Amino acid sequence: MAAAEATLGACLEALLGSRSHANRVFEILELLQAEEEEIVLSAIQTCDRLFGAFLERGELFVGPLPPEEEPLPESHSAEEKYKIWMRHRYNSCVNCLVELMSHESFQIKEGSLCTLMAFVELEAKHPLVKSEWSFNFPQELLKLVVKGLISTEEDSSLLISRFQEYLEHDDVQFFAMKAVAENIGNVMQKTKEPLPVYQKNAFTFVSSISMPGKESEIKNFLVKHANQGEWKVSKLKEHRRAFERMWLGFLKHKLPSSLYKKVLVILHDSILPHMNEPTLMIDFLTVAYDIGGAISLLALNGLFVLILHHNLEYPDFYKKLYSLLDPSIFYVKYRARFFRLLDLFLSSSHLPSYLVAAFAKRLARLSLAAPPDALLLVIPFICNLLRRHPSCQVLVHRPDGPEEMSADPYAMEEEDPSESRALESSLWEIQTLQRHYHPEVAEAAASINTTLSEMEDDLMELMELTSDEIFDRDLKKKAATVPLEFQRVTGLFGQKNDVLAEYFTLE
């Protein structure tokens, strides 16, 4: 270790002191591939200092780099040949650092990332590519960094979190979004099947992007230019376009089901508000809505935003919403969010009576097998529907209704609410719940026996109610009297006239 550090120090001093020692750069590059972690870390630091100094001193060739295999024309001076040769060594160093971003040691990964980002900053100030514009940014180098961050083989979430400090710079974030969109396109077009590890890393990266809300917030740049306001990176519209392209490129490919849920949870808050055209997400939301289960429940949020704020027309929306009502809605962790949205979608007084009746009846039927915490939400929910739509109160006051369950005209298996015949039925399920084992549920169900007040029940607290909270609440209750039935045990099996009691006693 000491010998390697001495070699690195000597090489660095020689290379910075004289061009005659240029070949010693190979010793540094060779130590980048050493097996010992400490040696590799020292070599990374040496590369940082060496090529950082070369970039600042202008000792690397600027412009299109000729292939190393081809001989250089005689017109090139010795200095130009040196700069071209050293530029090739710099590229070798960059490629080696990108490979080290997948090293098993996180310290080496972190050191490589920080060194590459130092090169990004230096290349932005001292560009290696001639540009017609006065604004320069090393996009190709940043693309390599992004490629190293979004690994196809291992979880990169820790390294991506380390990259967060660089994303605080608006120019880095802007070009990183473009690089991610391109990288996803290149990787995913080669396969039709999901790549769980790669897509998880890509989601970790894209979900970490924090978009500015106003153009005035775009002011933190890694590299500052004279006419900063004229640079497209200073425009909010350009940031939104890059953000939109990045997300659309990520979501157009088939995702693992776990990622569908993660995307849908943040979609309405963190993605749609920052898109130039949010309606472009309709294809993704439609596919997610048709998957079923918890994914469909979560897709409701995004669809609601598009329907409410962007005049989206979704054919058979209520038919699909009706089909989502199954026993699982009482057990998913997104239950509160689903019922909040369901309440919003059924709040209009212009909905036809048969539709509201179908939802009320289906919820009532499902409540027969629901846990107490869900029942304390569903019963007031149904009562609120009856308050909003008085024409549906015939479901409660139907003296000529069927006497047996088998005679109920309601068709539970019917997918179309207009064909369910709910309006011909009654809410006998609520009456059944009046005999529920839990006294709070029985009391809530009994409220339907009286005339419903005009004021709707507040459902907000009930939506977050859990079975643990009900249990804790019951434990704290103090009962005045407890009914007991007690018979003194006299026989071996506890019965007074048992045959064994004639021959055996407990004394």
Side-chain angles (χ1 to χ4, degrees):
M1 175 62 192
E5 286 190 351
T7 301
L8 288 168
C11 290
L12 178 63
E13 185 177 352
L15 284 161
L16 293 177
S18 172
R19 293 181 178 179
S20 61
H21 300 290
N23 280 332
R24 298 206 68 178
V25 72
F26 288 113
E27 297 180 48
I28 299 175
L29 296 178
E30 185 178 354
L31 289 174
L32 275 177
Q33 302 175 32
E35 293 184 1
E36 293 84 355
E37 182 179 332
E38 292 78 6
I39 295 176
V40 176
L41 287 171
S42 296
I44 291 172
Q45 294 171 0
T46 304
C47 287
D48 188 357
R49 296 172 61 189
L50 175 66
F51 290 107
F54 281 171
L55 282 164
E56 289 179 338
R57 284 159 43 171
E59 295 201 20
L60 301 180
F61 179 75
V62 178
L65 189 63
E68 192 170 12
E69 300 79 15
E70 296 181 7
L72 296 173
E74 295 297 328
S75 58
H76 282 73
S77 64
E79 182 173 355
E80 286 179 320
K81 290 180 180 178
Y82 166 80
K83 289 185 176 181
I84 290 172
W85 183 86
M86 191 56 76
R87 172 86 177 273
H88 279 295
R89 304 290 74 76
Y90 170 69
N91 287 352
S92 299
C93 173
V94 167
N95 291 331
C96 194
L97 290 173
V98 172
E99 290 180 10
L100 288 174
M101 287 178 68
S102 59
H103 196 275
E104 60 183 14
S105 166
F106 180 74
Q107 283 186 298
I108 291 177
K109 291 178 182 180
E110 184 181 25
S112 302
L113 172 63
C114 294
T115 299
L116 287 168
M117 289 309 297
F119 290 164
V120 167
E121 183 174 3
L122 287 168
E123 276 198 41
K125 295 176 180 176
H126 311 282
L128 297 178
V129 178
K130 294 178 180 178
S131 174
E132 299 177 2
W133 309 96
S134 58
F135 309 111
N136 296 291
F137 196 89
Q139 296 187 52
E140 295 305 316
L141 179 55
L142 189 61
K143 287 178 184 177
L144 291 175
V145 175
V146 169
K147 181 182 178 182
L149 286 170
I150 312 178
S151 171
T152 57
E153 297 176 356
E154 61 179 359
D155 184 2
S156 303
S157 55
L158 196 58
L159 194 61
I160 292 171
S161 66
R162 181 65 179 82
F163 187 68
Q164 290 301 300
E165 68 175 77
Y166 300 105
L167 289 177
E168 293 177 5
H169 299 285
D170 294 305
D171 46 358
V172 174
Q173 178 168 288
F174 176 77
F175 290 110
M177 288 191 290
K178 299 185 74 172
V180 170
E182 182 178 326
N183 184 270
I184 291 173
N186 293 337
V187 173
M188 295 305 297
Q189 70 179 1
K190 299 175 184 177
T191 178
K192 293 182 179 180
E193 294 300 316
L195 300 174
V197 175
Y198 173 79
Q199 287 175 297
K200 182 183 178 183
N201 287 330
F203 173 75
T204 303
F205 193 105
V206 298
S207 61
S208 67
I209 300 290
S210 179
M211 283 290 288
K214 299 180 291 186
E215 196 160 302
S216 59
E217 296 176 8
I218 306 175
K219 56 187 178 182
N220 185 17
F221 298 97
L222 185 69
V223 183
K224 292 179 171 57
H225 298 283
N227 301 320
Q228 195 77 43
E230 299 176 11
W231 198 17
K232 66 178 181 179
V233 179
S234 303
K235 309 295 182 184
L236 179 61
K237 188 176 181 180
E238 294 295 330
H239 277 261
R240 289 193 166 193
R241 182 178 288 124
F243 181 82
E244 183 176 88
R245 192 172 299 167
M246 174 186 71
W247 272 107
L248 290 174
F250 175 70
L251 296 177
K252 77 176 183 179
H253 302 285
K254 186 178 179 181
L255 300 176
S257 60
S258 59
L259 276 187
Y260 264 114
K261 294 177 183 178
K262 290 181 179 179
V263 171
L264 291 167
V265 164
I266 65 171
L267 184 71
H268 65 291
D269 280 335
S270 304
I271 302 177
L272 290 178
H274 301 295
M275 297 181 70
N276 284 329
E277 296 183 52
T279 51
L280 293 174
M281 295 294 284
I282 183 58
D283 289 340
F284 169 74
L285 286 169
T286 302
V287 171
Y289 197 42
D290 290 338
I291 289 176
I295 293 176
S296 292
L297 302 186
L298 290 171
L300 270 178
N301 246 351
L303 285 172
F304 173 69
V305 172
L306 295 182
I307 291 171
L308 185 65
H309 299 293
H310 302 282
N311 300 319
L312 171 71
E313 291 187 9
Y314 189 95
D316 297 328
F317 175 78
Y318 281 97
K319 181 178 177 181
K320 178 64 180 177
L321 182 62
Y322 182 72
S323 69
L324 293 180
L325 298 181
D326 60 33
S328 67
I329 62 172
F330 300 129
Y331 301 96
V332 293
K333 63 179 180 180
Y334 314 110
R335 183 180 72 188
R337 178 181 295 193
F338 171 71
F339 274 97
R340 193 176 295 118
L341 288 170
L342 184 63
D343 191 43
L344 280 171
F345 287 129
L346 296 176
S347 61
S348 173
S349 59
H350 299 291
L351 294 175
S353 298
Y354 75 83
L355 183 66
V356 178
F359 276 91
K361 180 64 179 177
R362 193 175 184 93
L363 284 170
R365 183 64 62 85
L366 292 171
S367 69
L368 293 175
D373 54 309
L375 289 173
L376 291 174
L377 166 63
V378 172
I379 294 171
F381 189 95
I382 294 173
C383 290
N384 282 352
L385 290 181
L386 298 179
R387 288 185 178 99
R388 292 174 199 163
H389 305 272
S391 59
C392 292
Q393 292 187 12
V394 295
L395 295 174
V396 179
H397 308 289
R398 192 181 294 281
D400 57 340
E403 295 182 1
E404 296 185 5
M405 178 179 160
S406 58
D408 191 343
Y410 173 67
M412 180 71 175
E413 67 283 352
E414 177 57 55
E415 296 181 357
D416 188 347
S418 63
E419 302 292 333
S420 65
R421 299 178 64 192
L423 211 52
E424 302 173 28
S425 182
S426 65
L427 294 178
W428 58 263
E429 296 91 347
I430 305 298
Q431 189 175 18
T432 303
L433 291 175
Q434 293 174 12
R435 299 178 180 85
H436 196 273
Y437 70 86
H438 197 283
E440 288 189 40
V441 174
E443 184 181 350
S447 65
I448 208 166
N449 295 337
T450 60
T451 304
L452 295 173
S453 62
E454 294 184 5
M455 185 71 69
E456 291 189 8
D457 294 326
D458 185 9
L459 303 177
M460 295 308 295
E461 291 185 7
L462 298 174
M463 286 182 180
E464 304 294 342
L465 189 65
T466 64
S467 56
D468 289 339
E469 291 175 359
I470 294 177
F471 189 78
D472 291 339
R473 199 162 63 190
D474 288 346
L475 285 177
K476 294 175 183 177
K477 285 183 180 178
K478 293 183 178 179
T481 58
V482 180
L484 295 175
E485 181 178 351
F486 177 71
Q487 181 179 2
R488 184 177 178 81
V489 178
T490 56
L492 185 62
F493 292 103
Q495 295 181 11
K496 186 176 181 180
N497 299 320
D498 192 87
V499 176
L500 293 175
E502 297 180 16
Y503 304 102
F504 300 93
T505 66
L506 296 178
E507 295 177 0

